[in-house]
Amino acid sequence: KMVFKRFTEGRRKVAKSKDQEYEIEWMSGYKSWVTSVKLTALGFGKLLKQVDEKTRSKTSVNELLRD
């Protein structure tokens, strides 16, 4: 049985799809990629929005610092 620990900051687009995959760290220390569709079905929708928001804010800060 795999027990969720946390989302890492890893996020990637699935080839040939509009879906995204998120990197998950499990309590065992193992990391894997899971699609947003599956995570939403498992009840992680709210956490996905938080991860997306955090990623967007980091991207915008990095863009401001480069200019």
Side-chain angles (χ1 to χ4, degrees):
K1 180 178 176 182
M2 300 291 283
V3 179
F4 174 82
K5 182 176 182 181
R6 70 181 184 95
F7 283 104
T8 66
E9 293 182 12
R11 185 175 76 164
R12 66 184 182 191
K13 198 168 196 168
V14 178
K16 300 180 184 178
S17 174
K18 293 182 180 179
D19 198 17
Q20 300 227 356
E21 288 183 327
Y22 294 83
E23 189 176 25
I24 306 256
E25 184 176 347
W26 304 98
M27 291 300 281
S28 64
Y30 178 74
K31 293 180 182 176
S32 65
W33 293 90
V34 182
T35 63
S36 61
V37 173
K38 189 169 189 175
L39 289 168
T40 302
L42 293 171
F44 287 99
K46 187 174 180 180
L47 282 173
L48 288 179
K49 287 181 183 179
Q50 290 175 350
V51 169
D52 288 340
E53 195 172 296
K54 186 176 180 180
T55 304
R56 266 194 301 273
S57 67
K58 280 189 174 188
T59 302
S60 61
V61 167
N62 286 339
E63 288 175 359
L64 289 173
L65 293 175
R66 277 190 282 169
D67 293 338

Coordinates of all heavy atoms in Angstrom, one line a residue:
K1 N 0.8 -1.2 0.0 CA 0.0 0.0 0.0 C 0.9 1.2 0.0 O 1.8 1.4 0.8 CB -0.9 0.0 1.2 CG -1.8 1.2 1.4 CD -2.7 1.0 2.6 CE -3.5 2.3 2.7 NZ -4.3 2.2 3.9
M2 N 0.6 2.2 -0.9 CA 1.4 3.4 -1.0 C 0.6 4.5 -0.2 O -0.5 4.7 -0.5 CB 1.5 3.8 -2.5 CG 2.3 2.8 -3.3 SD 4.0 2.7 -2.9 CE 4.6 4.1 -3.7
V3 N 1.4 5.2 0.6 CA 0.8 6.3 1.4 C 1.4 7.6 0.9 O 2.6 7.8 0.9 CB 1.0 6.1 2.9 CG1 0.4 7.2 3.7 CG2 0.4 4.8 3.4
F4 N 0.5 8.5 0.6 CA 0.9 9.9 0.1 C 1.7 10.6 1.2 O 1.2 10.7 2.3 CB -0.3 10.6 -0.4 CG 0.0 12.1 -0.7 CD1 0.4 12.4 -2.0 CD2 -0.3 13.1 0.2 CE1 0.7 13.7 -2.4 CE2 0.0 14.4 -0.2 CZ 0.4 14.7 -1.5
K5 N 2.8 11.2 0.8 CA 3.6 12.1 1.7 C 3.4 13.6 1.3 O 2.9 14.4 2.1 CB 5.0 11.7 1.8 CG 5.8 12.5 2.7 CD 7.3 12.0 2.8 CE 8.1 12.8 3.8 NZ 9.5 12.3 3.9
R6 N 3.8 13.9 0.1 CA 3.7 15.3 -0.4 C 3.9 15.4 -1.9 O 4.4 14.4 -2.5 CB 4.8 16.1 0.3 CG 6.2 15.8 -0.2 CD 7.3 16.7 0.5 NE 8.6 16.4 0.0 CZ 9.2 17.1 -1.0 NH1 8.5 18.2 -1.5 NH2 10.4 16.8 -1.4
F7 N 3.5 16.5 -2.4 CA 3.8 16.8 -3.8 C 5.2 17.4 -3.9 O 5.5 18.3 -3.0 CB 2.8 17.9 -4.4 CG 1.5 17.3 -4.7 CD1 0.4 17.5 -3.9 CD2 1.3 16.6 -5.9 CE1 -0.9 17.1 -4.2 CE2 0.0 16.1 -6.2 CZ -1.0 16.3 -5.4
T8 N 6.0 17.0 -4.8 CA 7.3 17.7 -5.0 C 6.9 18.9 -5.9 O 5.8 19.1 -6.3 CB 8.3 16.8 -5.7 OG1 7.9 16.5 -7.0 CG2 8.6 15.6 -4.9
E9 N 7.9 19.6 -6.4 CA 7.6 20.8 -7.3 C 7.6 20.3 -8.7 O 7.5 21.1 -9.6 CB 8.5 21.9 -7.0 CG 8.3 22.5 -5.6 CD 9.2 23.7 -5.3 OE1 9.8 24.2 -6.3 OE2 9.2 24.1 -4.2
G10 N 7.7 19.0 -9.0 CA 7.8 18.5 -10.3 C 6.4 18.5 -11.0 O 5.4 18.0 -10.4
R11 N 6.4 19.0 -12.2 CA 5.2 19.0 -13.0 C 5.6 19.0 -14.4 O 6.5 19.7 -14.8 CB 4.4 20.3 -12.7 CG 3.0 20.3 -13.4 CD 2.2 21.5 -12.9 NE 2.7 22.7 -13.6 CZ 2.1 23.8 -13.7 NH1 0.9 24.0 -13.1 NH2 2.6 24.9 -14.3
R12 N 4.9 18.1 -15.2 CA 5.3 18.1 -16.6 C 4.0 17.8 -17.4 O 3.0 17.3 -16.9 CB 6.3 17.0 -16.9 CG 5.8 15.6 -16.6 CD 6.9 14.6 -16.8 NE 6.4 13.2 -16.5 CZ 7.2 12.1 -16.4 NH1 8.5 12.3 -16.5 NH2 6.6 11.0 -16.2
K13 N 4.1 18.2 -18.7 CA 3.0 18.0 -19.6 C 3.1 16.6 -20.2 O 4.1 16.1 -20.6 CB 3.0 19.0 -20.7 CG 1.7 19.2 -21.5 CD 1.8 20.5 -22.3 CE 0.4 20.8 -22.7 NZ 0.2 22.1 -23.2
V14 N 1.9 15.9 -20.4 CA 1.9 14.6 -20.9 C 1.9 14.7 -22.5 O 1.2 15.5 -23.0 CB 0.6 13.8 -20.5 CG1 0.5 12.5 -21.2 CG2 0.5 13.7 -19.0
A15 N 2.8 14.0 -23.1 CA 2.9 14.0 -24.6 C 1.6 13.6 -25.2 O 0.9 12.7 -24.7 CB 4.0 13.1 -25.0
K16 N 1.2 14.3 -26.3 CA 0.0 14.0 -27.0 C -1.3 14.2 -26.2 O -2.3 13.5 -26.5 CB 0.0 12.6 -27.6 CG 1.2 12.4 -28.6 CD 1.2 11.0 -29.1 CE 2.4 10.8 -30.0 NZ 2.4 9.4 -30.5
S17 N -1.2 15.0 -25.2 CA -2.4 15.2 -24.3 C -2.3 16.6 -23.7 O -1.2 17.2 -23.6 CB -2.4 14.2 -23.3 OG -3.5 14.4 -22.3
K18 N -3.4 17.1 -23.3 CA -3.4 18.4 -22.6 C -3.3 18.2 -21.0 O -3.2 19.1 -20.3 CB -4.7 19.2 -22.8 CG -4.9 19.6 -24.2 CD -6.2 20.4 -24.4 CE -6.3 20.9 -25.9 NZ -7.5 21.6 -26.1
D19 N -3.2 17.0 -20.6 CA -3.1 16.6 -19.2 C -1.7 16.9 -18.7 O -0.8 17.0 -19.5 CB -3.5 15.1 -19.1 CG -3.8 14.8 -17.6 OD1 -4.1 15.7 -16.8 OD2 -3.8 13.6 -17.3
Q20 N -1.6 17.0 -17.4 CA -0.3 17.2 -16.7 C -0.1 16.1 -15.7 O -1.0 15.5 -15.2 CB -0.3 18.5 -16.0 CG -0.6 19.7 -16.9 CD 0.4 20.8 -16.6 OE1 1.2 20.7 -15.7 NE2 0.3 21.9 -17.4
E21 N 1.2 15.8 -15.5 CA 1.6 14.9 -14.5 C 2.3 15.6 -13.3 O 3.0 16.6 -13.6 CB 2.5 13.8 -15.0 CG 1.8 12.8 -16.0 CD 2.8 11.7 -16.4 OE1 4.0 12.0 -16.6 OE2 2.3 10.6 -16.6
Y22 N 2.1 15.1 -12.1 CA 2.7 15.7 -11.0 C 3.6 14.7 -10.3 O 3.2 13.5 -10.2 CB 1.6 16.2 -10.0 CG 0.8 17.3 -10.5 CD1 -0.3 17.1 -11.3 CD2 1.1 18.6 -10.2 CE1 -1.0 18.1 -11.9 CE2 0.4 19.7 -10.7 CZ -0.7 19.4 -11.5 OH -1.4 20.5 -12.0
E23 N 4.7 15.1 -9.8 CA 5.6 14.2 -9.1 C 5.1 14.1 -7.6 O 4.9 15.1 -7.0 CB 7.0 14.7 -9.2 CG 8.0 13.6 -8.7 CD 9.5 14.1 -8.8 OE1 9.7 15.3 -8.9 OE2 10.3 13.2 -8.9
I24 N 5.0 12.9 -7.2 CA 4.5 12.6 -5.8 C 5.6 11.9 -5.0 O 6.3 11.0 -5.6 CB 3.3 11.7 -5.8 CG1 2.2 12.2 -6.7 CG2 2.8 11.3 -4.5 CD1 1.1 12.9 -6.1
E25 N 5.8 12.3 -3.8 CA 6.7 11.6 -2.9 C 5.9 10.8 -2.0 O 4.9 11.3 -1.4 CB 7.6 12.5 -2.2 CG 8.6 11.7 -1.3 CD 9.6 12.6 -0.6 OE1 9.7 13.8 -0.9 OE2 10.3 12.1 0.3
W26 N 6.2 9.5 -1.9 CA 5.4 8.6 -1.0 C 6.1 8.4 0.3 O 7.3 8.7 0.5 CB 5.2 7.2 -1.7 CG 4.6 7.4 -3.0 CD1 5.2 7.4 -4.2 CD2 3.2 7.5 -3.3 NE1 4.3 7.6 -5.2 CE2 3.0 7.6 -4.7 CE3 2.0 7.6 -2.5 CZ2 1.8 7.8 -5.3 CZ3 0.8 7.7 -3.1 CH2 0.7 7.8 -4.5
M27 N 5.4 8.0 1.4 CA 6.0 7.8 2.7 C 7.3 6.9 2.7 O 8.2 7.1 3.5 CB 5.0 7.2 3.7 CG 3.9 8.2 4.0 SD 4.5 9.7 4.8 CE 4.7 9.2 6.4
S28 N 7.3 6.0 1.7 CA 8.5 5.1 1.6 C 9.7 5.8 1.1 O 10.8 5.2 1.0 CB 8.1 3.9 0.7 OG 7.8 4.3 -0.6
G29 N 9.5 7.0 0.6 CA 10.6 7.7 -0.1 C 10.6 7.6 -1.6 O 11.4 8.3 -2.2
Y30 N 9.8 6.7 -2.1 CA 9.7 6.5 -3.5 C 9.0 7.7 -4.2 O 8.1 8.3 -3.6 CB 8.9 5.2 -3.8 CG 8.7 4.9 -5.2 CD1 9.7 4.4 -6.0 CD2 7.4 5.0 -5.8 CE1 9.5 4.1 -7.3 CE2 7.2 4.7 -7.1 CZ 8.2 4.2 -7.9 OH 8.0 3.9 -9.2
K31 N 9.4 8.1 -5.4 CA 8.8 9.2 -6.1 C 8.2 8.6 -7.4 O 8.9 7.8 -8.0 CB 9.8 10.3 -6.4 CG 10.3 11.0 -5.2 CD 11.2 12.1 -5.5 CE 11.7 12.8 -4.3 NZ 12.7 13.8 -4.6
S32 N 7.1 9.1 -7.8 CA 6.5 8.7 -9.1 C 5.7 9.8 -9.7 O 5.3 10.8 -9.0 CB 5.6 7.5 -8.9 OG 4.5 7.7 -8.0
W33 N 5.3 9.7 -11.0 CA 4.5 10.7 -11.7 C 3.1 10.1 -11.8 O 2.9 9.0 -12.2 CB 5.1 10.9 -13.1 CG 6.4 11.6 -13.0 CD1 7.6 11.0 -13.0 CD2 6.7 13.0 -13.0 NE1 8.6 11.9 -12.9 CE2 8.1 13.1 -12.9 CE3 5.9 14.1 -13.0 CZ2 8.7 14.4 -12.9 CZ3 6.5 15.4 -13.0 CH2 7.9 15.5 -12.9
V34 N 2.1 11.0 -11.5 CA 0.7 10.6 -11.5 C -0.1 11.7 -12.3 O 0.2 12.9 -12.1 CB 0.1 10.5 -10.1 CG1 -1.3 10.0 -10.2 CG2 0.9 9.5 -9.3
T35 N -1.0 11.4 -13.1 CA -1.8 12.4 -13.9 C -2.7 13.1 -13.1 O -3.2 12.7 -12.0 CB -2.6 11.7 -15.1 OG1 -3.5 10.8 -14.5 CG2 -1.7 10.9 -16.0
S36 N -3.0 14.4 -13.5 CA -3.9 15.2 -12.8 C -5.4 14.6 -12.7 O -6.1 14.8 -11.7 CB -4.0 16.6 -13.4 OG -4.4 16.6 -14.7
V37 N -5.7 13.9 -13.8 CA -7.1 13.3 -13.8 C -7.2 12.2 -12.7 O -8.2 12.2 -12.0 CB -7.3 12.6 -15.2 CG1 -8.6 11.8 -15.2 CG2 -7.3 13.6 -16.3
K38 N -6.2 11.4 -12.5 CA -6.2 10.4 -11.5 C -6.2 11.0 -10.1 O -6.9 10.6 -9.2 CB -5.0 9.4 -11.7 CG -5.1 8.2 -10.8 CD -4.1 7.2 -11.2 CE -4.3 5.9 -10.4 NZ -3.4 4.9 -10.9
L39 N -5.3 12.1 -9.9 CA -5.2 12.7 -8.6 C -6.6 13.4 -8.2 O -7.0 13.4 -7.1 CB -4.1 13.7 -8.6 CG -2.7 13.1 -8.6 CD1 -1.7 14.2 -9.0 CD2 -2.4 12.4 -7.3
T40 N -7.2 14.0 -9.2 CA -8.5 14.7 -9.0 C -9.5 13.6 -8.6 O -10.3 13.9 -7.6 CB -9.0 15.4 -10.2 OG1 -8.0 16.4 -10.6 CG2 -10.3 16.2 -10.0
A41 N -9.5 12.5 -9.2 CA -10.5 11.4 -8.9 C -10.2 10.9 -7.5 O -11.2 10.4 -6.8 CB -10.4 10.3 -9.9
L42 N -9.0 11.0 -7.0 CA -8.6 10.5 -5.7 C -8.9 11.5 -4.6 O -8.6 11.3 -3.4 CB -7.2 10.0 -5.7 CG -6.9 8.8 -6.5 CD1 -5.4 8.5 -6.5 CD2 -7.6 7.6 -5.9
G43 N -9.3 12.7 -5.0 CA -9.7 13.8 -4.0 C -8.6 14.8 -3.8 O -8.6 15.5 -2.8
F44 N -7.6 14.9 -4.7 CA -6.5 15.8 -4.5 C -6.6 17.1 -5.3 O -5.7 17.8 -5.5 CB -5.1 15.1 -4.9 CG -4.7 14.1 -3.9 CD1 -4.9 12.8 -4.1 CD2 -4.0 14.5 -2.7 CE1 -4.5 11.8 -3.2 CE2 -3.6 13.5 -1.8 CZ -3.8 12.2 -2.1
G45 N -7.8 17.4 -5.8 CA -8.1 18.6 -6.6 C -7.7 19.9 -6.0 O -7.0 20.7 -6.6
K46 N -8.0 20.0 -4.7 CA -7.6 21.3 -4.0 C -6.1 21.4 -3.9 O -5.6 22.5 -4.1 CB -8.3 21.3 -2.6 CG -8.1 22.6 -1.9 CD -8.9 22.6 -0.6 CE -8.8 23.9 0.2 NZ -9.6 23.9 1.4
L47 N -5.4 20.3 -3.6 CA -4.0 20.4 -3.5 C -3.3 20.7 -4.8 O -2.3 21.4 -4.9 CB -3.4 19.1 -2.9 CG -3.6 18.9 -1.4 CD1 -3.1 17.5 -1.0 CD2 -2.7 19.9 -0.7
L48 N -3.9 20.2 -5.9 CA -3.4 20.4 -7.2 C -3.4 21.9 -7.5 O -2.5 22.5 -8.1 CB -4.2 19.7 -8.3 CG -4.0 18.2 -8.4 CD1 -4.8 17.5 -9.4 CD2 -2.5 17.8 -8.6
K49 N -4.5 22.6 -7.2 CA -4.7 24.0 -7.4 C -3.6 24.8 -6.6 O -3.0 25.7 -7.1 CB -6.1 24.5 -7.0 CG -7.1 24.0 -8.0 CD -8.5 24.5 -7.5 CE -9.6 24.0 -8.5 NZ -10.9 24.5 -8.1
Q50 N -3.3 24.3 -5.4 CA -2.3 25.0 -4.6 C -0.9 24.8 -5.2 O -0.1 25.7 -5.2 CB -2.3 24.4 -3.2 CG -3.5 24.8 -2.4 CD -3.6 24.2 -1.0 OE1 -2.8 23.3 -0.7 NE2 -4.5 24.6 -0.2
V51 N -0.6 23.6 -5.7 CA 0.7 23.3 -6.4 C 0.8 24.2 -7.6 O 1.8 24.8 -7.9 CB 0.8 21.9 -6.7 CG1 2.0 21.6 -7.6 CG2 0.9 21.0 -5.4
D52 N -0.3 24.3 -8.4 CA -0.2 25.1 -9.6 C 0.0 26.6 -9.3 O 0.8 27.3 -9.9 CB -1.5 24.9 -10.4 CG -1.6 23.6 -11.1 OD1 -0.6 22.9 -11.3 OD2 -2.8 23.2 -11.4
E53 N -0.7 27.1 -8.3 CA -0.6 28.5 -7.8 C 0.9 28.8 -7.4 O 1.4 29.8 -7.7 CB -1.6 28.7 -6.7 CG -1.8 30.2 -6.4 CD -2.9 30.4 -5.4 OE1 -4.1 30.0 -5.8 OE2 -2.6 30.9 -4.3
K54 N 1.4 27.8 -6.6 CA 2.8 28.0 -6.1 C 3.8 28.0 -7.3 O 4.7 28.9 -7.3 CB 3.1 26.9 -5.2 CG 4.5 27.0 -4.5 CD 4.7 25.9 -3.5 CE 6.0 26.0 -2.8 NZ 6.2 24.9 -1.8
T55 N 3.6 27.1 -8.3 CA 4.5 27.1 -9.4 C 4.4 28.4 -10.2 O 5.4 28.9 -10.7 CB 4.1 25.9 -10.3 OG1 4.2 24.7 -9.5 CG2 5.1 25.7 -11.5
R56 N 3.1 28.8 -10.4 CA 2.9 30.1 -11.2 C 3.6 31.3 -10.5 O 4.2 32.1 -11.2 CB 1.4 30.4 -11.4 CG 0.8 29.9 -12.6 CD -0.5 30.5 -12.9 NE -1.5 30.2 -11.8 CZ -2.2 29.1 -11.7 NH1 -2.2 28.2 -12.7 NH2 -3.1 28.9 -10.8
S57 N 3.5 31.4 -9.2 CA 4.1 32.5 -8.5 C 5.6 32.4 -8.6 O 6.2 33.5 -8.7 CB 3.6 32.5 -7.0 OG 4.1 31.4 -6.3
K58 N 6.2 31.2 -8.5 CA 7.6 31.1 -8.6 C 8.1 31.5 -10.0 O 9.1 32.2 -10.2 CB 8.1 29.7 -8.3 CG 8.2 29.4 -6.9 CD 8.8 28.0 -6.7 CE 9.1 27.8 -5.2 NZ 9.8 26.6 -4.9
T59 N 7.3 31.1 -11.0 CA 7.7 31.5 -12.4 C 7.6 33.0 -12.6 O 8.5 33.6 -13.2 CB 6.7 30.8 -13.4 OG1 6.8 29.4 -13.2 CG2 7.0 31.1 -14.8
S60 N 6.6 33.6 -12.1 CA 6.5 35.1 -12.3 C 7.6 35.8 -11.5 O 8.1 36.8 -12.0 CB 5.1 35.6 -11.9 OG 4.8 35.3 -10.5
V61 N 7.9 35.4 -10.3 CA 9.0 36.0 -9.6 C 10.3 35.9 -10.3 O 11.1 36.8 -10.5 CB 9.1 35.4 -8.2 CG1 10.4 35.8 -7.5 CG2 8.0 35.8 -7.3
N62 N 10.6 34.7 -10.9 CA 11.8 34.4 -11.7 C 11.9 35.3 -12.9 O 12.9 35.9 -13.3 CB 12.0 33.0 -12.1 CG 12.3 32.1 -10.9 OD1 12.9 32.6 -9.9 ND2 12.0 30.8 -11.0
E63 N 10.7 35.6 -13.5 CA 10.7 36.4 -14.7 C 11.0 37.9 -14.3 O 11.7 38.6 -15.1 CB 9.3 36.3 -15.4 CG 9.2 35.0 -16.1 CD 7.8 34.8 -16.7 OE1 6.9 35.7 -16.6 OE2 7.5 33.8 -17.3
L64 N 10.5 38.3 -13.2 CA 10.7 39.7 -12.8 C 12.2 39.9 -12.4 O 12.8 40.9 -12.7 CB 9.9 40.0 -11.5 CG 8.4 40.2 -11.8 CD1 7.7 40.3 -10.4 CD2 8.2 41.4 -12.6
L65 N 12.8 38.9 -11.8 CA 14.2 39.0 -11.4 C 15.2 39.0 -12.7 O 16.2 39.6 -12.6 CB 14.6 37.8 -10.5 CG 14.0 37.9 -9.1 CD1 14.3 36.6 -8.3 CD2 14.3 39.1 -8.4
R66 N 14.8 38.3 -13.7 CA 15.6 38.3 -14.9 C 15.6 39.6 -15.7 O 16.6 40.0 -16.3 CB 15.1 37.2 -15.9 CG 15.6 35.8 -15.6 CD 15.3 34.9 -16.7 NE 13.9 34.5 -16.5 CZ 13.2 33.9 -17.4 NH1 13.8 33.5 -18.6 NH2 11.9 33.6 -17.2
D67 N 14.5 40.4 -15.6 CA 14.4 41.6 -16.3 C 15.2 42.8 -15.7 O 15.8 42.9 -14.8 CB 12.9 42.1 -16.4 CG 12.2 41.1 -17.3 OD1 12.8 40.5 -18.1 OD2 10.9 41.1 -17.2

